[in-house]
Amino acid sequence: MSRIKNMSRLLLFFALLGSTAIFAQETEQKFSDQELMEFSTAFEKLQAVNAEAQQKMVEVVKSEGMDMKRFNEIHVAYINPNMKSDATPEELKKHDRIMRKVKKMQETLQDNMDEVVKSSGLSTRKYQKIASEMRTDKTLQARYKKMATAEEE
């Protein structure tokens, strides 16, 4: 009987050891190399989409007869209730028109960004999960950097 207990303990030990190794491997590699490649592709495309959207927003501000510096000053005061704005009534009207146009653009931009991510092979949720982990996980950052460097060569 004690032989069976010892054998059971030994099997339990190896089972636990194996599951610990599997758990360690899962936490070490939360995302596959393929997912990181897809993330990289989506990230690069999203940067281009974002740059284009920013340029269009600058054009909207200028088309309303306001420069970006003044728009930003008014906008900071607009979103901060503790800050007093020195904007004229005309500037406030321009700001309001700009914000309505920008809001419409943002809705379209979000749809475009979701499509870019999906076309890269990831769901939006998976992309966001990788991006979130990338901010804090040094191991994941190192893997990503290594893959990016290898891809450039």
Side-chain angles (χ1 to χ4, degrees), residues 68-78 83 85-86:
M68 282 305 298
K69 183 180 179 197
R70 184 62 181 152
F71 172 80
N72 287 330
E73 290 169 354
I74 295 168
H75 192 66
V76 167
Y78 176 80
M83 191 173 197
S85 175
D86 65 348

Side-chain angles (χ1 to χ4, degrees), residues 19-137:
S19 67
T20 303
I22 290 169
F23 179 73
Q25 189 176 19
E26 284 178 10
T27 57
E28 190 175 300
Q29 272 201 321
K30 294 176 186 175
F31 308 106
S32 69
D33 288 349
Q34 179 66 31
E35 288 171 323
L36 285 181
M37 292 299 289
E38 291 166 346
F39 175 83
S40 177
T41 300
F43 183 76
E44 288 177 24
K45 289 179 181 179
L46 288 174
Q47 283 182 314
V49 168
N50 189 33
E52 183 180 332
Q54 286 180 1
Q55 184 58 42
K56 286 180 181 179
M57 288 178 196
V58 168
E59 290 170 12
V60 167
V61 171
K62 289 180 179 179
S63 74
E64 288 295 330
M66 191 177 284
D67 70 15
M68 282 305 298
K69 183 180 179 197
R70 184 62 181 152
F71 172 80
N72 287 330
E73 290 169 354
I74 295 168
H75 192 66
V76 167
Y78 176 80
I79 61 175
N80 184 349
N82 299 322
M83 191 173 197
K84 181 100 168 108
S85 175
D86 65 348
T88 66
E90 182 60 33
E91 287 176 322
L92 291 173
K93 286 179 188 175
K94 287 180 183 181
H95 178 268
D96 186 51
R97 284 192 303 266
I98 292 166
M99 290 308 299
R100 278 186 272 140
K101 290 178 182 179
V102 166
K103 185 175 179 170
K104 285 181 184 177
M105 290 172 62
Q106 286 174 330
E107 293 167 4
T108 303
L109 177 63
Q110 186 60 52
D111 291 341
N112 290 347
M113 292 171 78
D114 289 343
E115 190 56 42
V116 164
V117 170
K118 288 176 186 170
S119 73
S120 298
L122 293 175
S123 67
T124 302
R125 185 174 181 187
K126 181 64 109 175
Y127 178 88
Q128 290 170 342
K129 189 173 183 179
I130 294 172
S132 177
E133 289 288 326
M134 194 70 73
R135 289 184 197 103
T136 58
D137 187 332

